[in-house]
């Protein structure tokens, strides 16, 4: 793939398909490339491309699908249920990303090397307007940001040229820029420096005219003016006070953090140029690389602070018996190197003295590993052009409430960057040989830089030959062994020690909640689920405060409105956090597991009621758990989209611990959702365990229901023989119960048996079963079941070509189902009726019925049925000459199939191409 956004937007996929011009796929490509991580939410896409139109969902789907078609699935992968659209850009394939990469590489080079590297970077710009041709208003800000990036690189190259004494080039280049943009302070600054030999009168006239037009010069421009005038702010002579430079060595390279460092450099420079204190706070979990980023950031900024760099390690989360550094100690160190070298006593006096010493200086201060805001506040300058970089495992909310803070929270690395950490010293041959093992190690390390550094050290130091990597992967898959492997105290590298330092400063309730969250199967939990976990602590628990403490301490990750644990934090909490007195841990864990599963069961059941009004499960009323009760299917499906992975893990937890109540009931409550999302393999696995558990604890009627669900899943997988076996079992179990509930169960089992026998071509057996089901439904007053049986009989008559009888049966079914609230059953009847009317050559009626059925399936978020209906509907529309409508139906079918894993997409695309 090759893409361009620094002029007219265009891209070409490996297959030769292109995006260009003013199309929505072109705009989507530009939006993704210019977004962090090359990914956006669907809401962001709608806001930029369609001005926030709330009904732009289909338009977004269509644009994503079209972009994927042009650039390929590798570049535009399916987002599944994540809600994000992501662009996987091959390295070096987009001009903007090449530009940024080269600018980032230039940062650590010597001035001559930096000059050359920035020249290569700026070649990506052809002098054109970035994002040219895109008219959406949402691109205006991005266009301005890209221009700002360009100018930052131009200024950096001018600076490198000045420091490298590229005098001829600098004179020529500044003349061009001064003619093009004379109002820019940085342009005028370098123009003056490059033309320092101008006659004094001419130079002063230029300065006067510039000031009159543009206002007072900023600090950098004034410094250049003073320099060429021969003015100095520092006393001359041998008693010149030394400039402090306390920044430690760089250590590891901050892989994958170029964009973070670049954005912070820009923000600090903006604050400094405006005459403000720049206060940077970098937070994140233990081992995420905050100190490394802070040092490289300070190194990038160092030259902007002529009065020096101060550094203090605050030991807020130091290992062993090292106590956090008192502000008093830091103040003593700072005042000792800053004139007038005062020796005042008392914390408040020292803090005032530091502010006085910095009032007319431009100093960069780095405060590493802060414990809390109280440790930091006495060390901050007042107003002025200083900057402070603070790192902490805590978000320091008090500091953020009291001061203007440039706050950045660091996350674990992207997969490609994490691999780079491991592969830096590995040969190309070994990279290829152990590619899968390295990918597994990245996953097992949770992409955490500290963990990756431990593994890299193991492999670099010869402690683990490369051929043992598969064995290392097996070791780290064992949760108890993982933290032992990631512990190298002799190299001061230990994930366990780092996490212990974070956990030991927590309050008791926060530590207990952390342990309970580790018992929760994850990967994330809603706020309500976390609060319910706290109920096991008894009356008076302040779970919300404990959760806030964990989030601020970066031990709990907040993604959207869900809370989760990094895998290494989970492993540490389970092994090294004590939930209660010795001997009580097992009881506390059982209570926690029960609370987790009970919360999941009642919430999933509430959603299932919105999806299937007819099915009853012997769950009972909720006790001590919060239940979110959706009022319509869309809300239920959205809730389960968020909870699905956690519920699946909950089922695995119940199976692993042999808790039969949840093994079968949680699986059963989830199955309607799984059918509508085409998650049939998951449903099959769950229901097989559910059937075994139900045999032990459930009634025959409930066991029959499990077998019907198993049959329904097999039916959707096209395995009709297996489905028939389960349905015969369901019929036998239902007959064991002679109550009304047993007859209702028998009716539903016979109905499912009838439609399955029809699929097998056994029309006689199907009709017999369906007629029995119909009679039983009428006996027990089950109108939904009655309509379903009538509809199935109508379909059977349609198969035989008896369209008049089919129409009567379906019309009867419609009359029954319209008296209920069962929308899914209504859609099924409309779908069958449409096929019957089409067979009777009543195409207009068929079109109307198909459209109604499709709309209901969409409302119910029943993706498989909606896909099937739209696919057949498109054929009808084509035969009616309504090609444009058919195209829209097929485009929606493509979106649905992509959401369900992509099977059959090519077939529909080919049909679509034939219509366009």
């Amino acid at each position: 793939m090759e893409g361009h956004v620094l002029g007219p937007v265009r891209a070409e996929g490996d297959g030769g398909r292109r995006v260009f011009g003013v199309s929505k796929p072109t705009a989507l490509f530009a939006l993704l490339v210019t977004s962090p991580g090359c990914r956006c939410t669907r809401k962001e896409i709608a806001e930029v491309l369609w001005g926030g139109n709330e009904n732009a969902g289909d338009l977004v789907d269509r644009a994503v699908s079209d972009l994927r078609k042009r650039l390929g699935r590798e570049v535009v992968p399916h987002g599944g249920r994540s809600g994000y659209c992501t662009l996987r850009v091959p390295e070096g394939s987009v001009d903007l990303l090449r530009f940024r990469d080269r600018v980032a590489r230039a940062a650590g080079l010597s001035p001559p090397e930096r000059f050359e590297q920035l020249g290569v970077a700026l070649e990506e710009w052809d002098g054109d307007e970035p994002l040219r041709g895109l008219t959406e208003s949402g691109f205006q800000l991005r266009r301005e940001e890209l221009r700002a990036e360009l100018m930052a690189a131009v200024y950096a190259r001018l600076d490198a040229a000045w420091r490298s004494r590229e005098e001829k080039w600098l004179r020529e280049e500044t003349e061009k820029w001064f003619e093009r943009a004379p109002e820019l302070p940085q342009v005028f600054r370098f123009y003056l420096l490059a033309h320092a030999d101008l006659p004094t009168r001419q130079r002063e006239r230029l300065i006067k005219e510039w000031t009159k037009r543009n206002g007072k010069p900023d600090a950098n421009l004034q410094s250049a003016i003073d320099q060429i005038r021969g003015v100095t702010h520092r006393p001359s002579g041998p008693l010149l006070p030394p400039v402090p430079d306390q920044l430690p060595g760089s250590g590891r390279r901050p892989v994958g953090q170029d964009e973070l460092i670049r954005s912070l450099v820009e923000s600090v420079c903006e604050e400094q140029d405006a005459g403000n204190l720049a206060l940077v706070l970098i937070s994140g979990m233990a081992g995420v690389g905050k100190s490394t980023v802070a040092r490289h950031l300070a190194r990038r900024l160092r030259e902007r602070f002529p009065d020096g760099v101060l550094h203090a390690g605050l030991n807020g989360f130091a290992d062993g018996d090292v106590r956090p550094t008192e502000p008093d100690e830091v103040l003593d160190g700072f005042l000792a190197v800053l004139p007038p070298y005062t020796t005042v006593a008392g914390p408040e006096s020292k803090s005032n003295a530091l502010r006085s010493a910095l009032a007319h200086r431009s100093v960069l201060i780095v405060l590493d590993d802060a414990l809390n805001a109280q440790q930091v506040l006495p060390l901050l300058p007042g107003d002025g052009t200083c900057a402070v970089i603070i790192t902490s495992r805590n978000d320091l909310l008090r500091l953020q409430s009291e001061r203007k803070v440039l706050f950045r929270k660091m996350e674990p690395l992207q997969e490609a960057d994490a691999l780079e950490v491991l592969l830096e010293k590995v040969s190309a041959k070994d990279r290829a040989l152990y590619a899968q093992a390295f990918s597994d190690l990245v996953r097992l390390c949770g992409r955490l830089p500290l963990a990756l550094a431990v593994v890299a050290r193991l492999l670099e130091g010869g402690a683990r030959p490369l051929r043992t990597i598969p064995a290392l992967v097996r070791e780290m898959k064992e949760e108890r062994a993982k933290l032992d492997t990631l512990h190298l105290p002799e190299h001061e590298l230990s994930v366990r020690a780092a996490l212990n330092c974070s956990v030991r400063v927590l309050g008791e309730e926060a530590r207990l909640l952390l342990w309970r969250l580790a018992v929760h199967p994850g990967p994330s939990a809603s706020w309500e689920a976390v609060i319910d976990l706290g109920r096991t602590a008894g009356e008076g628990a302040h779970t919300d405060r404990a959760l806030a403490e964990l989030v601020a301490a970066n031990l709990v990750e907040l993604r959207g409105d869900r809370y989760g644990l990094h895998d290494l934090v989970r492993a540490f909490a389970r092994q090294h956090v004590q939930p209660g007195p010795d001997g009580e841990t097992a009881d506390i864990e059982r209570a926690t597991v029960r609370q987790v599963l009970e919360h999941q069961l009642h919430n999933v059941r509430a959603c299932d009621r919105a999806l299937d009004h007819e099915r009853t499960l012997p769950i009972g009323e909720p006790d001590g758990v919060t239940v979110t009760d959706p009022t319509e299917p869309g809300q239920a499906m959205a809730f389960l989209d968020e909870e699905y992975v956690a519920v699946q893990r909950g089922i695995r937890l119940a199976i692993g611990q042999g808790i039969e109540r949840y093994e079968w009931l949680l699986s059963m409550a989830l199955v309607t959702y799984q059918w509508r999302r085409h998650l049939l393999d998951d449903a099959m696995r769950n229901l097989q365990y559910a059937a075994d558990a139900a045999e032990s604890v459930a009634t025959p009627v409930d066991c029959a229901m499990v077998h019907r669900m198993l049959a329904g899943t097999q039916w959707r997988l096209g395995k009709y023989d297996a489905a028939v076996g389960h349905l015969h079992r369901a019929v036998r179990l239902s007959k064991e119960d002679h109550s009304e509930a047993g007859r209702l169960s028998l009716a539903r089992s016979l109905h499912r048996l009838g439609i399955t026998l029809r699929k097998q071509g056994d029309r006689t057996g199907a009709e017999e079963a369906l007629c029995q089901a119909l009679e039983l439904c009428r006996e027990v007053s089950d109108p939904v079941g009655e309509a379903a049986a009538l509809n199935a009989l109508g379909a059977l008559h349609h198969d035989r070509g008896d369209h008049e009888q089919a129409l009567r049966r379906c019309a009867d079914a419609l009359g029954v189902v319209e008296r209920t609230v069962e929308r899914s059953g209504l859609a099924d009847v409309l779908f069958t009726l449409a096929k019957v009317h089409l067979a009777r050559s009543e195409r207009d009626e068929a079109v109307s019925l198909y459209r109604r059925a499709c709309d209901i399936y969409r409302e119910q978020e029943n993706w498989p049925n909606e896909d099937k209906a739209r696919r057949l509907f498109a054929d009808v529309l084509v035969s009616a000459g309504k090609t444009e409508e058919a195209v829209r139906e097929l485009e929606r079918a493509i979106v649905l199939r992509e959401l369900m894993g992509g099977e059959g997409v090519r077939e529909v695309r080919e049909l679509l191409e034939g219509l366009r």
Side-chain angles (χ1 to χ4, degrees):
M1 192 206 85
E2 179 65 26
H4 302 268
V5 295
L6 299 182
V9 179
R10 62 193 189 279
E12 182 172 337
D14 292 340
R17 302 294 296 273
R18 302 175 64 207
V19 292
F20 60 94
V22 295
S23 68
K24 291 301 182 185
T26 305
L28 176 58
F29 171 77
L31 177 62
L32 291 171
V33 167
T34 56
S35 296
C38 291
R39 76 172 193 165
C40 286
T41 64
R42 292 164 52 81
K43 182 179 179 183
E44 289 168 340
I45 295 170
E47 286 177 353
V48 175
L49 270 59
W50 285 280
N53 180 358
E54 294 181 357
N55 300 314
D58 283 351
L59 299 173
V60 172
D61 290 336
R62 194 178 306 166
V64 172
S65 178
D66 203 355
L67 186 62
R68 181 179 298 117
K69 174 182 169 185
R70 294 167 186 265
L71 299 185
R73 292 187 183 184
E74 292 298 316
V75 177
V76 189
H78 296 298
R81 297 187 300 277
S82 69
Y84 284 93
C85 178
T86 302
L87 204 64
R88 289 182 180 165
V89 181
E91 187 174 352
S93 63
V94 175
D95 54 2
L96 173 61
L97 304 184
R98 289 194 299 269
F99 167 76
R100 287 175 172 171
D101 180 59
R102 287 162 180 164
V103 169
R105 289 183 195 172
L109 302 177
S110 65
E113 292 171 326
R114 188 159 67 246
F115 173 74
E116 295 297 331
Q117 179 72 11
L118 289 169
V120 174
L122 287 164
E123 287 174 3
E124 296 293 343
W125 294 77
D126 57 8
D128 210 336
E129 179 186 56
L131 306 177
R132 186 159 70 83
L134 299 183
T135 58
E136 290 86 353
S137 60
F139 283 110
Q140 187 56 38
L141 177 60
R142 291 173 186 251
R143 195 173 281 117
E144 292 172 3
E145 289 173 345
L146 291 177
R147 289 195 197 104
E149 279 192 62
L150 165 64
M151 293 310 300
V154 168
Y155 298 152
R157 193 171 192 225
L158 292 173
D159 182 75
W162 168 248
R163 295 175 187 280
S164 305
R165 297 197 171 276
E166 295 282 347
E167 295 176 9
K168 182 175 182 296
W169 181 90
L170 190 63
R171 288 177 73 92
E172 293 173 355
E173 194 70 11
T174 54
E175 284 171 2
K176 294 176 191 174
W177 277 105
F178 190 56
E179 184 178 345
R180 189 184 311 171
E183 75 283 358
L184 297 177
Q186 289 279 56
V187 168
F188 188 41
R189 172 195 173 203
F190 285 110
Y191 179 84
L192 289 176
L193 292 173
H195 295 78
D197 56 350
L198 283 172
T200 302
R201 183 176 297 178
Q202 183 180 349
R203 181 189 68 213
E204 292 302 320
R205 187 179 71 251
L206 280 174
I207 294 170
K208 183 177 180 181
E209 290 174 354
W210 191 95
T211 304
K212 185 177 180 180
R213 285 194 303 268
N214 303 296
K216 183 180 177 181
D218 64 22
N220 286 323
L221 176 54
Q222 187 61 54
S223 176
I225 292 171
D226 291 343
Q227 184 175 340
I228 62 173
R229 284 173 171 169
V231 177
T232 177
H233 288 296
R234 289 183 170 277
S236 59
L239 297 179
L240 185 71
V243 174
D245 188 358
Q246 300 178 347
L247 196 62
S250 58
R252 293 195 301 270
R253 184 169 63 93
V255 175
Q257 305 298 346
D258 292 340
E259 176 61 26
L260 171 62
I261 293 172
R262 184 190 65 79
S263 71
L264 284 171
V265 168
E266 289 180 0
S267 298
V268 170
C269 291
E270 286 176 11
E271 292 295 327
Q272 189 188 40
D273 290 344
N276 300 327
L277 168 69
L279 185 53
V280 175
L281 171 59
I282 303 171
S283 83
M285 68 176 289
V288 81
K290 302 177 292 295
S291 298
T292 302
V293 166
R295 290 173 188 175
H296 280 262
L297 172 62
R299 197 157 285 105
R300 287 276 300 274
L301 292 167
R302 174 189 253 149
E303 292 177 354
R304 290 186 64 97
F305 295 89
D307 296 310
V309 180
L310 301 176
H311 179 278
L314 301 184
N315 297 324
F317 298 88
D319 193 14
D321 297 327
V322 179
R323 60 176 178 77
T325 307
E326 293 293 334
D328 239 16
E329 301 172 48
V330 179
L331 287 167
D332 287 341
F334 285 176
L335 293 172
V337 297
L338 290 172
Y341 311 118
T342 181
T343 56
V344 296
E348 187 173 346
S349 297
K350 292 178 183 179
S351 187
N352 289 335
L354 178 66
R355 286 193 291 274
S356 297
L358 296 174
H360 301 292
R361 288 185 171 86
S362 187
V363 172
L364 175 62
I365 302 173
V366 180
L367 302 174
D368 191 26
D369 194 26
L371 176 62
N372 50 38
Q374 294 93 308
Q375 194 182 24
V376 168
L377 285 167
L379 310 177
L380 300 183
D383 296 330
T385 58
C386 291
V388 184
I389 302 169
I390 304 162
T391 72
S392 179
R393 299 183 194 183
N394 196 291
D395 289 349
L396 305 186
L397 299 179
R398 178 186 164 191
L399 176 67
Q400 294 192 57
S401 69
E402 295 187 13
R403 304 292 290 263
K404 178 184 177 183
V405 175
L406 301 170
F407 176 63
R408 300 291 190 276
K409 180 172 288 196
M410 288 182 62
E411 307 286 351
L413 299 174
Q414 296 294 317
E415 184 174 355
D417 296 321
L419 270 172
E420 184 181 340
V421 174
L422 288 183
L423 298 175
E424 187 175 8
K425 297 183 180 180
V426 177
S427 69
K429 177 183 175 182
D430 287 331
R431 291 184 185 194
L433 185 61
Y434 300 109
Q436 184 57 53
F438 278 118
S439 293
D440 290 341
L441 287 173
V442 164
R443 176 178 54 81
L444 292 166
C445 288
R447 296 174 282 109
L448 185 70
L450 175 58
L452 294 164
V454 175
V455 173
R457 179 60 62 89
L458 280 172
L459 299 175
E460 289 167 17
R464 299 292 300 243
L466 281 176
R467 67 175 181 274
T468 67
I469 288 181
L472 181 61
V473 170
R474 289 193 296 273
E475 286 174 30
M476 290 187 61
K477 284 181 179 178
E478 295 292 328
E479 184 178 85
R480 289 193 172 277
K482 183 185 295 187
L483 293 177
D484 290 338
T485 302
L486 298 176
H487 180 63
L488 291 179
E490 66 274 19
H491 297 290
E492 296 185 356
L493 292 172
S494 173
V495 172
R496 183 167 60 213
L499 291 173
N500 183 58
C501 295
S502 293
V503 171
R504 70 183 182 185
V505 301
L506 294 174
E508 182 179 346
E509 196 165 351
R511 277 200 303 277
L512 180 56
L513 181 60
L514 179 66
W515 179 84
R516 286 199 164 99
L517 284 167
V519 172
H520 186 287
S524 64
S526 65
W527 187 84
E528 291 81 4
V530 179
I531 297 303
D532 277 355
L533 270 179
R535 293 178 190 272
T536 56
E539 294 294 327
H542 298 98
T543 308
D544 52 346
R545 298 180 194 173
L547 180 59
E549 183 178 351
L550 291 171
V551 171
N554 288 293
L555 286 163
V556 166
E557 300 170 341
L558 177 58
R559 296 281 185 275
D561 58 355
R562 298 187 66 79
Y563 302 87
L565 297 181
H566 188 279
D567 285 347
L568 295 175
V569 174
R570 183 182 300 278
F572 177 85
R574 285 188 62 83
Q575 294 175 45
H576 300 288
V577 176
Q578 183 70 21
D582 291 341
E584 295 184 15
T585 299
D587 292 338
I588 297 172
E589 182 167 359
R590 277 192 292 273
T592 301
V593 169
R594 185 262 176 200
Q595 189 77 352
V596 168
L597 296 177
E598 197 70 8
H599 174 93
Q600 289 186 341
L601 179 59
H602 284 284
N603 278 278
V604 174
R605 177 57 183 136
C607 292
D608 189 53
R609 283 198 193 98
L611 303 177
D612 185 343
H613 301 287
E614 301 304 309
R615 194 148 57 88
T616 58
L617 291 167
I619 290 174
E621 293 303 312
D623 179 19
V625 295
T626 307
V627 180
T628 301
D629 204 355
T631 57
E632 50 91 17
Q635 292 176 354
M637 295 298 283
F639 180 88
L640 290 173
D641 283 342
E642 290 284 349
E643 293 286 342
Y644 182 70
V645 177
V647 174
Q648 276 290 98
R649 291 192 180 185
I651 293 170
R652 300 274 84 74
L653 178 62
I655 292 168
Q657 298 198 9
I659 312 176
E660 291 171 330
R661 167 177 167 81
Y662 305 105
E663 280 187 66
W664 81 278
L665 287 174
L666 198 48
S667 298
M668 289 290 289
L670 191 61
V671 73
T672 306
Y673 167 83
Q674 290 172 318
W675 286 353
R676 294 191 183 185
R677 286 293 186 255
H678 199 63
L679 298 164
L680 302 181
D681 291 338
D682 287 350
M684 199 70 231
R685 281 191 295 271
N686 293 351
L687 289 169
Q688 286 166 344
Y689 283 105
D692 292 340
E695 290 289 341
S696 301
V697 298
T699 67
V701 166
D702 289 330
C703 288
M705 179 168 48
V706 178
H707 284 283
R708 283 199 302 275
M709 297 300 103
L710 273 164
T713 307
Q714 296 280 23
W715 193 88
R716 286 164 172 79
L717 288 166
K719 299 177 181 179
Y720 303 116
D721 290 343
V724 166
H726 284 295
L727 290 167
H728 281 307
R729 174 74 172 146
V731 167
R732 289 194 298 272
L733 287 165
S734 300
K735 287 179 178 179
E736 292 179 20
D737 188 328
H738 302 290
S739 68
E740 183 172 315
R743 295 201 304 279
L744 178 60
S745 175
L746 180 59
R748 291 175 178 173
S749 301
L750 287 167
H751 167 250
R752 296 301 309 177
L753 178 61
I755 64 175
T756 307
L757 290 172
R758 173 185 167 237
K759 278 289 185 181
Q760 290 185 307
D762 182 1
R763 293 174 181 170
T764 301
E767 186 169 21
E768 181 182 344
L770 289 170
C771 286
Q772 291 181 53
L774 177 61
E775 184 179 345
L776 283 164
C777 286
R778 286 170 172 168
E779 280 183 25
V780 298
S781 302
D782 176 22
V784 174
E786 179 184 351
L790 286 166
N791 184 54
L793 286 166
L796 196 60
H797 290 303
H798 172 267
D799 294 343
R800 292 170 172 161
D802 187 354
H803 300 137
E804 292 299 324
Q805 184 66 8
L807 189 61
R808 282 193 291 273
R809 288 290 197 183
C810 290
D812 289 346
L814 186 62
V816 174
V817 79
E818 283 183 331
R819 295 196 297 270
T820 73
V821 296
E822 179 51 46
R823 299 281 288 168
S824 291
L826 174 60
D828 293 341
V829 174
L830 294 172
F831 180 68
T832 307
L833 263 174
K835 292 196 292 184
V836 174
H837 279 288
L838 189 63
R840 288 163 52 92
S841 300
E842 296 163 351
R843 193 164 52 197
D844 289 346
E845 185 67 21
V847 166
S848 174
L849 291 165
Y850 270 127
R851 183 171 285 118
R852 286 179 64 194
C854 290
D855 289 345
I856 294 173
Y857 284 136
R858 181 166 190 170
E859 162 205 305
Q860 298 288 305
E861 296 212 29
N862 192 329
W863 291 348
N865 284 9
E866 184 189 349
D867 168 57
K868 178 176 69 174
R870 290 193 187 278
R871 174 66 189 81
L872 294 175
F873 186 25
D875 288 343
V876 178
L877 291 169
V878 169
S879 68
K882 299 180 179 181
T883 305
E884 288 188 10
E885 290 185 52
V887 166
R888 286 197 292 272
E889 297 303 317
L890 291 175
E891 286 175 341
R892 174 63 181 167
I894 286 174
V895 169
L896 289 167
R897 293 187 181 195
E898 287 179 339
L899 288 170
M900 293 187 289
E903 184 180 349
V905 167
R906 179 180 295 180
E907 164 205 331
V908 181
R909 282 198 190 283
E910 289 173 356
L911 289 171
L912 200 54
E913 289 299 322
L915 296 178
R916 283 175 167 167

